[in-house]
Each structure stands twice: as structure tokens, then as C-alpha cells.
Amino acid sequence: MSSWYQHAWWVDYALPAAVSAAIAWVGLAREFAGKGRLLGSWASAALMLFVLALMGAVAAGAVVLLPHAAQIPPVLAGAATGATALPRRRQDETAQPYVKFMTLGIALVRERLVQRVHLDACTWSDRFLDGIETSTQLRVFVHDLKLYLLERHPLTADTKTINAIYADVEKAIDAALDVQTRIDEACRDGDLTWQRDPTADELIARRQAFGTALAQCGHLLHFAYAHGRRSEMEELRALRAKSMSNDAFHSPALPPQRRWYDRWLARGRPTGRL
């Protein structure tokens, strides 16, 4: 019975695979920090689990296939293969050929995971901007979003990135407004009492200019998505709703508050009717 425990399958295979997957998860979390969300969609979550499963399979296979691994504890073999998922600045040219062979499939899946995480961020940004139809609304939203991000990311590097992206968005919005102004003036043609409809080319130019501004704003939203948390979604939605409401442009006067005895005082006042 004791011999079975010493050579149990979970000690030789399951435990190294679990250790490898755990270390690989830490490596992926570090690699994608500030780049996107590993669980941003079902597709990215499936790819991430596939990478972890491959790392676990490599750890178990290393125990079986490598002859010299018999003298190494299985847990250490799992830790060594899992560490290959840690981000590196440069590829180690002295790596053994069998290590490159084992990680070839994993590298391909990780590349697909990087693309999927980036696509998730772009899709989220595009969907979030649905409903913003004018350059004025976009300008109000981008300004509030910039202040929101600067307050939550006070680091110097993040501040420079936010301000640089915001400057590009402002230029794109100004260009869109210039196109809109030129089209409006051309449609009026100096006559304030009559206005023609925009031509097809003018509609395309206006659409392209506004689309460019939306794309630049998407870069700022991409930063909020990659560096933010899911709990901040309600605050971002509130900023978007504010930019689309009339309160974003002017503060309407509050209606006078009626007191309970005002109606009795009004009875003694002349109504002004003849």
C-alpha cells in the first residue's frame, strides 16, 4: 500500500501538471497586465485555459519522455515547464532544442490569445461608443473620461499616455467639426432661409471624419479597459450618459419650489384678467 502511494499517478503526473498550470497562470497574468483581460470573453477564456492545459500536458510529458527527469522530483519538473510562460525581454538562445520543441504549440496558442485579448478590447470600445452621434457629445465624453483616468492613474507614465491620447482625440474632433461646419455652410450657400441636403460625397466626408474621431476615442477607452476593473463599468456608463444628455451642455433653471401656503396667498392677489 505504501508503494502505491509513493508511485501514485497523481504524484507523478497530476501534481506536476497542476504546478505547471499555476505558474503559467501567474506568467500570463503578468504578461497581460495593462494589455487586456484574459477573461474578457468566452473565446479568450477558452484560449487561456487551453494554454494552461498545454503547459500541464508538457509538464506531465516531461516526466514521461525525458530519461534524466527520473532523478528530478516531478514537482520541480512541473515548475520548470510552467516557468516558460513567464514574460521575457529576449528569447534565450541557449535553450535546449527539446524545450523549443515542446513550447512550439504553446507559443502559437499564446499568439492567438494575444490577438483575441486585443480584439476583445476593440470590440468593447466600439460597443461602448454606440449611441454617441455628434462631435459635441464625443468631446464632452472624452474630456470627462480624461479627468476620470487621470484621477485613477496618477503615475507619471500613465499621465503622459492619457494626455497624449487625449490630444490626438481633440485633433480628430476638431477636424470632424471643421468638416461639419464646411458642409453646413455649403448647404446654406449664404442663404439663411433655405438649405439643401448634403450630397453623397459630403455625407461620406462627414462620416469619415466622425469615424476617425470615434476611433481615436476608442484608444482612450482601450486604456480604461486594459488598466481598469470591471467594477468601474457603471462609472464609465454614467460618463457616457452624461455626455448624451442635455445637462452636459447647459444647466436648466430649477423650477420654483411651491410652499404649502402659496395657494392661499395667491387667492388675495389680482389675476390680471379683464
Side-chain angles (χ1 to χ4, degrees):
M1 182 65 66
S2 60
S3 176
W4 184 88
Y5 277 109
Q6 292 177 358
H7 301 283
W9 67 270
W10 63 271
V11 175
D12 291 338
Y13 305 110
L15 185 58
V19 173
S20 176
I23 297 178
W25 163 252
V26 175
L28 291 176
R30 287 184 54 192
E31 179 181 358
F32 285 90
K35 298 180 180 178
R37 299 175 183 175
L38 291 173
L39 303 178
S41 65
W42 289 106
S44 59
L47 286 172
M48 184 267 298
L49 292 177
F50 191 29
V51 171
L52 299 184
L54 287 177
M55 296 302 301
V58 170
V63 177
V64 176
L65 298 178
L66 300 180
H68 58 273
Q71 301 177 358
I72 301 176
V75 174
L76 295 181
T81 54
T84 59
L86 296 176
R88 298 175 179 176
R89 295 184 178 180
R90 54 182 300 179
Q91 183 68 27
D92 187 4
E93 299 296 337
T94 62
Q96 296 296 329
Y98 70 84
V99 175
K100 295 181 179 180
F101 174 78
M102 287 189 302
T103 59
L104 177 61
I106 299 175
L108 295 177
V109 179
R110 285 179 58 184
E111 181 180 355
R112 184 68 183 92
L113 178 60
V114 172
Q115 297 174 353
R116 182 70 246 185
V117 169
H118 177 73
L119 182 60
D120 290 342
C122 295
T123 302
W124 178 87
S125 300
D126 294 340
R127 292 178 179 176
F128 194 87
L129 290 174
D130 285 345
I132 298 181
E133 300 177 351
T134 65
S135 299
T136 305
Q137 293 176 346
L138 186 61
R139 185 186 294 276
V140 173
F141 172 71
V142 169
H143 182 266
D144 291 343
L145 179 61
K146 182 197 73 169
L147 297 180
Y148 177 87
L149 294 176
L150 289 177
E151 181 181 358
R152 284 157 180 78
H153 301 278
L155 297 179
T156 303
D158 293 340
T159 300
K160 292 181 178 179
T161 302
I162 295 171
N163 288 327
I165 299 176
Y166 177 75
D168 294 337
V169 178
E170 281 286 287
K171 292 179 181 178
I173 294 177
D174 290 340
L177 289 174
D178 290 341
V179 172
Q180 179 66 43
T181 302
R182 289 197 301 268
I183 293 176
D184 291 341
E185 292 177 352
C187 291
R188 286 194 300 266
D189 196 17
D191 190 355
L192 299 179
T193 61
W194 176 84
Q195 183 174 355
R196 65 173 176 83
D197 295 331
T199 63
D201 292 338
E202 290 172 342
L203 289 176
I204 293 175
R206 183 172 62 186
R207 179 72 182 214
Q208 289 177 343
F210 184 67
T212 302
L214 282 177
Q216 292 294 337
C217 180
H219 295 163
L220 196 60
L221 277 174
H222 191 288
F223 183 91
Y225 176 88
H227 294 80
R229 300 178 180 178
R230 297 178 186 271
S231 59
E232 298 177 354
M233 278 298 301
E234 292 300 326
E235 299 178 4
L236 294 177
R237 291 193 184 100
L239 294 179
R240 181 183 60 186
K242 176 184 175 183
S243 66
M244 298 169 60
S245 66
N246 292 331
D247 293 340
F249 312 107
H250 61 82
S251 298
L254 294 176
Q257 301 296 322
R258 293 181 60 87
R259 295 167 294 186
W260 64 272
Y261 55 84
D262 283 346
R263 60 177 180 174
W264 299 101
L265 296 177
R267 290 185 177 181
R269 300 174 183 173
T271 60
R273 296 179 181 176
L274 297 179

